[in-house]
Amino acid sequence: MNKNNDWKKSEEIEIDLADLIKRLCMKWKQILICALAFAVLAGGYGYLKNKSRADLPQLDEGEEIELTQEEQQSVLSAVQLQAENAGLEQYLETSLLMKADPYHKHKTYMLYSIEQADRRDVQKITESYLSFVMYGGAADALKKTGREWDLDKSCLAEIMTAYQRNYSYPYQVAVEEAAGGDMQAEAVFYIDLTALDEQMAVRFADAMQEVLEAHATQVKKQAGNHRLKLVSTEHAVVADSNLQVQQHDKRAQLAANKESLKTMTEAFSETQLAVYEKETQLAGEQRETDDGSETESLEEETAAGGSLSSAVRYGILGFAGGMFLYCCIFGCWYLFRDTVKSAREMKELYTFPFYGGIPSKKQISAESGVQAGMHKAVQLVNRVRLACKKQEITRLCLASDFALDDREREWMKLIAGQLKESGIDAVSAENAGSDTALWDMLAETGTVILVCRMGTTTHRMIDDAMRFYRENGVAVIGAMAFACEE
């Protein structure tokens, strides 16, 4: 409790989130209007922004625009850079190698042995398996199995490799001398696989084993009879600084290319832009034909339908933004406004009793609302009557620091009349703190009840009134409020 302001329990005002949300919900009409206004403005902006692209000169099929050699070269460079960016973006999105963690790179090493092979065929057999893995055969076979290996062939090929270690010179000579005539020879080779995690590494190794076993039948027919055996499989997690540099370079290259393309197109004239749009559209259609992917052409983006869809997207964003902005402004207004906002706040902040409140004009417009208002007025009068009886008070002033409206004056007369019937001489005083003509009456009465209005009376007004009454020996036995929602 503050020693100077002993009528206050605390100087800190707690935020009533329930009251804030309730008041915000009551403003749904204003929120809707604000959201619709922002939706219209944002949708119009999106339409005009996209329409400006659609208003560029359109080239019909077979129509040509004459450009200088320098302008034509600039457009050609921009088209090539756009195609390069599209390919690089697709690679970064689909490449497993670009998604791998360079500091925790999962590697699987598979050691295979070729046994029971004729000495003259062993080299052909080994090279058949190596070429199958390194030059796309294994990637094609994995794609046909479906599942998670149905990726771009180049993305699969870059995460697998195969190699063979050569014997050192003395051992190689000893093997050749011991081979003599028809002695069968053996050979070993390695397959190196890269995966995103340990689970994928296991699945990748199992799938590679399946396709190699299937390929072994073809190798036996073409290169010679033999037996392919998986000797061992080892999984490791390594740090690959070269991969980290490769990933960084690819992303940096894409960012630099996009910035360069933006600079180039911003310097184009409308004629150059029209040619650029047509050329990039044709390039996009060609890529769609080559890889079968579905891409959205630039012509669709600049058509009337594209403008409408852009307006709708911007409108939705504007609607959400308008709602969010209104809620933020209302929240700030609610938090920084110094007015008394609820009965709960009066009870928790001040030491003097709060006897209750009278609903606002909007709340008592209906007949049931009038009955509820009368019920609350009777409760308020009874609480005041009991407090006066306990403190032996016979004279009382209902004092407000603001001007009352007609409805509030009627309630004040009603409350004062009921108190008089209970033997308490009650009078009403408007603007008691500023109307000097009422000060003598307040001093003679000696006891007041503060009359507040939720949303109008500020904490500072209550503090000033309490100081004024204390300095002049007037006792404040409690408070009541208008427009109060309990």
Side-chain angles (χ1 to χ4, degrees):
M1 183 183 296
N2 193 318
K3 294 182 179 179
N4 295 326
N5 301 332
D6 57 358
W7 59 85
K8 298 178 72 173
K9 294 180 181 179
S10 173
E11 291 290 341
E12 298 180 357
I13 302 175
E14 295 184 1
I15 300 173
D16 191 346
L17 291 179
D19 183 67
L20 172 59
I21 296 174
K22 181 180 179 181
R23 290 177 182 270
L24 190 59
C25 292
M26 292 173 63
K27 298 290 184 179
W28 67 270
K29 292 183 180 179
Q30 292 85 337
I31 294 175
L32 182 60
I33 292 173
C34 182
L36 290 175
F38 272 80
V40 171
L41 292 175
Y45 170 77
Y47 180 83
L48 293 176
K49 180 181 178 181
N50 212 49
K51 189 71 166 55
S52 63
R53 290 170 57 88
D55 289 339
L56 292 173
Q58 299 296 316
L59 299 180
D60 297 330
E61 195 70 27
E63 181 182 356
E64 295 183 358
I65 293 181
E66 292 186 2
L67 299 174
T68 64
Q69 185 176 0
E70 182 179 354
E71 290 176 336
Q72 188 173 2
Q73 183 61 40
S74 298
V75 172
L76 181 60
S77 299
V79 172
Q80 292 175 344
L81 189 55
Q82 168 65 23
E84 181 181 345
N85 289 348
L88 188 53
E89 283 181 340
Q90 184 178 8
Y91 172 73
L92 290 174
E93 290 176 0
T94 58
S95 173
L96 296 177
L97 196 63
M98 292 296 102
K99 297 177 182 179
D101 184 356
Y103 302 104
H104 300 85
K105 183 179 178 182
H106 290 264
K107 302 282 291 182
T108 301
Y109 304 95
M110 305 176 70
L111 174 61
Y112 281 92
S113 171
I114 300 174
E115 302 175 352
Q116 301 175 9
D118 189 275
R119 179 171 172 269
R120 293 168 297 182
D121 298 332
V122 69
Q123 189 64 28
K124 293 187 296 181
I125 295 171
T126 305
E127 292 296 333
S128 296
Y129 286 110
L130 295 179
S131 61
F132 175 72
V133 175
M134 297 178 62
Y135 304 130
D140 288 333
L142 285 171
K143 282 175 61 65
K144 292 178 182 179
T145 62
R147 295 175 293 182
E148 61 185 304
W149 316 118
D150 189 14
L151 303 172
D152 185 81
K153 183 177 178 179
S154 61
C155 295
L156 274 176
E158 69 179 355
I159 59 173
M160 64 176 74
T161 185
Y163 54 91
Q164 183 182 24
R165 292 181 178 175
N166 296 323
Y167 292 119
S168 61
Y169 176 73
Y171 181 76
Q172 185 176 5
V173 173
V175 170
E176 290 178 354
E177 292 177 354
D182 297 332
M183 180 181 178
Q184 291 184 333
E186 296 181 356
V188 294
F189 65 92
Y190 292 85
I191 294 180
D192 183 349
L193 307 178
T194 300
L196 299 181
D197 51 46
E198 185 174 357
Q199 291 76 18
M200 180 182 175
V202 173
R203 296 193 301 270
F204 199 3
D206 292 340
M208 180 60 71
Q209 173 67 7
E210 291 178 8
V211 298
L212 278 179
E213 289 178 351
H215 183 64
T217 304
Q218 182 180 353
V219 176
K220 289 178 182 179
K221 295 179 181 179
Q222 296 178 347
N225 190 37
H226 66 282
R227 177 173 177 265
L228 180 67
K229 179 182 178 181
L230 176 61
V231 178
S232 66
T233 301
E234 298 293 339
H235 175 262
V237 179
V238 298
D240 190 343
S241 59
N242 292 331
L243 176 60
Q244 194 272 337
V245 172
Q246 184 180 353
Q247 291 177 346
H248 178 269
D249 290 346
K250 292 291 185 183
R251 297 188 181 102
Q253 180 185 355
L254 179 60
N257 286 357
K258 285 185 175 181
E259 188 65 28
S260 298
L261 181 61
K262 180 181 178 182
T263 303
M264 294 171 66
T265 53
E266 286 178 349
F268 281 173
S269 63
E270 291 188 357
T271 304
Q272 285 179 295
L273 278 176
V275 176
Y276 170 75
E277 296 284 354
K278 181 179 179 180
E279 293 297 330
T280 50
Q281 172 194 341
L282 294 176
E285 292 176 352
Q286 182 63 38
R287 287 195 302 270
E288 186 176 322
T289 303
D290 292 341
D291 58 14
S293 61
E294 295 181 359
T295 57
E296 185 177 7
S297 66
L298 292 174
E299 180 181 5
E300 293 174 347
E301 287 292 328
T302 57
S307 298
L308 182 60
S309 63
S310 178
V312 171
R313 289 195 298 270
Y314 274 86
I316 294 174
L317 293 175
F319 187 87
M323 292 181 60
F324 178 76
L325 181 62
Y326 185 91
C327 292
C328 289
I329 293 175
F330 183 85
C332 293
W333 172 83
Y334 180 90
L335 295 176
F336 293 107
R337 198 180 182 201
D338 189 43
T339 58
V340 178
K341 302 176 180 66
S342 65
R344 177 175 174 269
E345 183 178 329
M346 289 287 296
K347 295 175 182 178
E348 293 184 356
L349 188 60
Y350 297 103
T351 58
F352 51 75
F354 180 73
Y355 297 116
I358 306 299
S360 64
K361 183 177 180 180
K362 293 181 180 179
Q363 295 171 305
I364 61 176
S365 57
E367 183 177 353
S368 60
V370 174
Q371 294 177 356
M374 288 296 298
H375 177 68
K376 290 184 177 298
V378 171
Q379 285 185 334
L380 188 152
V381 170
N382 287 330
R383 291 169 182 168
V384 174
R385 180 178 59 81
L386 291 175
C388 291
K389 182 179 179 180
K390 184 177 180 180
Q391 301 178 44
E392 299 181 353
I393 296 173
T394 57
R395 301 187 65 184
L396 182 65
C397 180
L398 306 177
S400 67
D401 274 348
F402 55 90
L404 302 174
D405 58 28
D406 295 337
R407 175 79 62 165
E408 291 168 343
R409 289 192 187 95
E410 292 177 3
W411 283 110
M412 292 285 279
K413 290 180 180 178
L414 177 63
I415 294 172
Q418 292 185 356
L419 288 174
K420 286 182 179 180
E421 293 177 0
S422 301
I424 301 173
D425 185 13
V427 295
S428 174
E430 297 183 34
N431 292 319
S434 58
D435 191 350
T436 56
L438 298 174
W439 289 1
D440 292 336
M441 186 265 289
L442 290 172
E444 292 176 1
T445 303
T447 309
V448 300
I449 289 181
L450 292 179
V451 179
C452 307
R453 183 192 291 155
M454 297 298 175
T456 299
T457 302
T458 64
H459 299 95
R460 182 175 180 180
M461 290 170 61
I462 295 177
D463 292 340
D464 291 343
M466 290 297 297
R467 294 190 186 96
F468 172 78
Y469 293 137
R470 290 290 180 86
E471 290 172 357
N472 292 277
V474 179
V476 179
I477 65 169
M480 57 170 286
F482 288 108
C484 182
E485 302 174 15
E486 295 183 279

